[in-house]
Structure formats: C-alpha cells, structure tokens
Amino acid sequence: MRVEEMVGIPDEKDVRRWLEEVREQFDWQAYLMIRLGLEVGLRSNETRHIHASRIPQKSVLQGGGDPTSMGILGDPSMDIFEIGIGSADGTKYGKPRTIWVPKDLMISLQAWVRLKKHRPLAMKQFSEREPNSAKPGYLFFNPKTGRPWGKNHINDDVIKETGIVGALDTTHRLRHYFASRFMLRHTVRAMRIAGAVSGKDAGLLLDHALNEAELQLQMQMGHSHGSTTRVYRNWAEEQYYLRSYAQKEIE
C-alpha cells in the first residue's frame, strides 16, 4: 500500500514533475528552496535565511558528512545527513535544532554551493553590482541585493506561476506535505511490524513505534508543543484505518 493511495495528497510522481517544471522555468534557487519544504519540512523563513556554512564542505560522494538512516524519514534504505540550524537561520523563536536531509538533496545542495553555474554565479552577479559589499552568507539570496528573498517570493513568483499540484499552493503547505507523508510512512511501517506480533505485545510495539516517530517529527519540524505534532499522528492513523476498512468492504 503506497502512502498516496491512502489519502488525497499529491502523488510523488506528480510532485517530481512539478519540481522539474520549477527548475526549468526558474532556477536552482527556487527548485532547492521548494525541495527543502517538501523533503525536510523547513519553514519558509528558515529556507530563506539558512546559511551556506550549514552545508558540509566535503562532498557526501567523497565520504563527507556522517550519514545515518534508522528509517528516521520513514524509509530504512534512505541515507540522511544531520545539519544544525539556529537563530541566524531564521528558526522560530531562535531555537536551535538538528534537521535530517536526504542524501540526494544534500548532494544537490552541495552542488549549489560549489558549481560555477549555480550559487557562485549568483554571487558573481551581486559582486559586480556591489563590489564593495561583503559576500552573502545565505544559502539562497537575491543576486541584485545580496539579501534573502522576500517572504512571498516562492509563493507569488514561483508556485503561483507554475502548475500547482493538489493543495501545494503555499510554502507552508509544502511543510504540511512533508509532515503528512512522514507520519503516513511511519504508520504503515509500524502497522506492518505490529501485525506480525500477537497479543498485547503488538499494541505495545505499535505504540512505541508511533511515539518514537512522533518525537522525531516534532524535532524535525521544530514544534514547541507535542500537541501540534500529535495532529499528524492522529490523522495518519485515521487514514490508515479508513483505507483498511474500505479495502475489506471491497473484498
């Protein structure tokens, strides 16, 4: 059972096609900023203010970073990398936290920092306009000003100018998409594991797995209160049971 089959969230293939459209119509800045919302769950303010120094300098393809998995993002086969962000990166209330970034996205972010045709080109464009200014430290920035993009840049200049997929019509909904898929993946996985166990142990195992997933999501999203994260857990469990009931009715 795929996550997309359980609830009306956009199919991953449709989202990938939309991302390619964004990359072709705009640039890597817009493409990567949207991916950080979809695949990491960053807030818009965090995406706009995250510093380039947060990205490991040594390529992950050459052993850079410290990959882990443990199924943290709901896929045990996915290598992920930890990076720390804080008040300088626009976190809410200035709270520091560690976020997990999938390997393929980390590779793209490292390419953006290094390759001449990506971020260095934007820095060159800015330097030519403002030769006496310090180089921008932000990962993403307006090459005309050297400052972070405005808060409505992705919403108004990118998302609304491309073929919006499903309900992904704002940067905040990209974050909801990430959190929903995160808990749905973990719920499906936990239900399968618990289904292989009998008696009271099954319930205990299920509860433990979902508690752990909920805590991981709270840390990733930077929620101050567990009740905010619990909404996604309750929703994911409801969707799983509704789907299972519907399948039994069909059978």
Side-chain angles (χ1 to χ4, degrees), residues 213-246:
E214 184 180 341
L215 179 59
Q216 290 171 349
L217 181 59
Q218 182 178 354
M219 294 168 61
Q220 179 81 354
M221 299 287 281
H223 290 155
S224 298
H225 304 288
S227 58
T228 306
T229 317
R230 178 57 63 95
V231 171
Y232 293 103
R233 173 177 174 172
N234 292 341
W235 175 81
E237 289 186 70
E238 178 182 326
Q239 295 301 325
Y240 180 88
Y241 287 121
L242 284 174
R243 178 69 182 182
S244 298
Y245 177 78

Side-chain angles (χ1 to χ4, degrees), residues 2-4 7-24 30-31 33-40 158-159 162-170 173-178 181 185:
R2 294 194 309 150
V3 166
E4 293 87 351
V7 64
I9 62 176
D11 186 273
E12 187 172 357
K13 292 181 179 179
D14 292 334
V15 173
R16 291 295 174 187
R17 281 195 290 267
W18 175 56
L19 278 171
E20 284 304 305
E21 182 181 347
V22 169
R23 188 172 62 85
E24 291 173 3
Y31 171 71
M33 290 173 78
I34 287 177
R35 284 190 67 184
L36 281 171
L38 288 170
E39 300 175 37
V40 181
V158 180
I159 294 179
T162 57
I164 297 171
V165 180
L168 302 181
D169 56 355
T170 67
R173 297 218 176 183
L174 304 181
R175 183 170 154 86
H176 284 313
Y177 174 85
F178 167 80
R181 282 181 55 82
R185 288 195 200 101

Side-chain angles (χ1 to χ4, degrees), residues 119-130:
R119 185 173 182 274
L121 176 58
M123 293 184 71
K124 182 176 182 294
Q125 290 174 334
F126 171 67
S127 298
E128 289 173 348
R129 292 185 176 91
E130 301 289 342

Side-chain angles (χ1 to χ4, degrees), residues 22 26-35 47 112 118-119 122 125 139-143 149 153-154:
V22 169
F26 294 91
D27 56 24
W28 266 53
Q29 291 212 58
Y31 171 71
L32 291 175
M33 290 173 78
I34 287 177
R35 284 190 67 184
T47 300
W112 163 251
H118 297 315
R119 185 173 182 274
Q125 290 174 334
L139 183 59
F140 308 110
F141 61 92
N142 186 330
W149 290 100
H153 168 60
I154 294 297

